[in-house]
Amino acid sequence: MVNRSSIEISEKAGVRYLHFSSAWVQGAMRIQYPNALELAYTREMMTGLLLRDPPWPRQALLIGLGAGSLAKFIYHQLPKTRITVVEIDPQIELVARLHFQLPDDPSRLRVIIADGADYMLAGDSHHDYLLIDGFDRNARAGVLDTLPFYQACRARLGEHGLLAVNLLGRERGFQASVDRINQAFDGRTLVFPSGDGGNTIALAAAGDCVDAGYDELLDRASQCRQETGLNLLPTVARLQQQCQLGSHRLRL
């Protein structure tokens, strides 16, 4: 096991894990398939691929690097996308490069060492996809889970913009988090059923409306699996089972 301060790396059954503490998995990589999304919640964070027409997203902004799983997937599977990652801890970037095969290609994948909330609240750049997965070593999102932050996210999204947020669905403040996202995005939100690991993904839309039928989502999921290896068919089925697809349509 490698230990840098409270950052730990372990391996089990062909999977390498990043921990901020021995009990909390912050990222994972299957060594035989280093660019695949190993953890279920990271796969669901890419559900936006079913809701917008390619080539989308042109610009992706990630708050929180972790093991670099989302950044690597987008880099390798969506070659027309430029990626910016904002990570507060420079040690995390070092670990992602040394142990999780994060690409070194600043022309397409730029890592900025900064506070994610400050970056969002102070900047004015626009993006197509915002992926928020930032926690401290005690699994707290802090300012990244406040109304001003979510309002800043909406202001930074373009006309085809989508937001994906990793929330801890078993925490007491979960519903308050959802309420803040709803308020910032005028109710244009979709909350997934909580997964086995307790992670719950919330999606929110800005700009153009999302209006897709169940059969269309299945077709897009099949095409996505063929083109990128990402299987979102179970995600579509879970949404239907949880009555998130009213009248067999998803509208945001």
Side-chain angles (χ1 to χ4, degrees), residues 61 116-130 149-158 161:
L61 174 64
D118 291 344
Y119 182 89
M120 291 298 296
L121 292 166
D124 58 3
S125 59
H126 284 79
H127 306 270
D128 301 309
Y129 208 11
L130 300 182
F149 176 77
Y150 293 131
Q151 290 171 329
C153 287
R154 180 168 181 175
R156 300 285 289 274
L157 286 169

Side-chain angles (χ1 to χ4, degrees), residues 47-62:
T47 301
L49 295 177
L50 306 183
L51 308 182
R52 297 298 193 199
D53 295 326
W56 181 95
R58 292 288 193 178
Q59 301 283 345
L61 174 64
L62 286 63

Side-chain angles (χ1 to χ4, degrees), residues 60-65 68-72 74 82-87 109-110 127 129-133:
L61 174 64
L62 286 63
I63 304 296
L65 176 63
S69 301
L70 288 166
K72 289 191 302 178
I74 295 171
R82 292 183 178 273
I83 309 146
T84 301
V85 182
V86 181
E87 169 56 52
L109 173 53
R110 182 173 58 139
H127 306 270
Y129 208 11
L130 300 182
L131 299 113
I132 312 301
D133 187 18

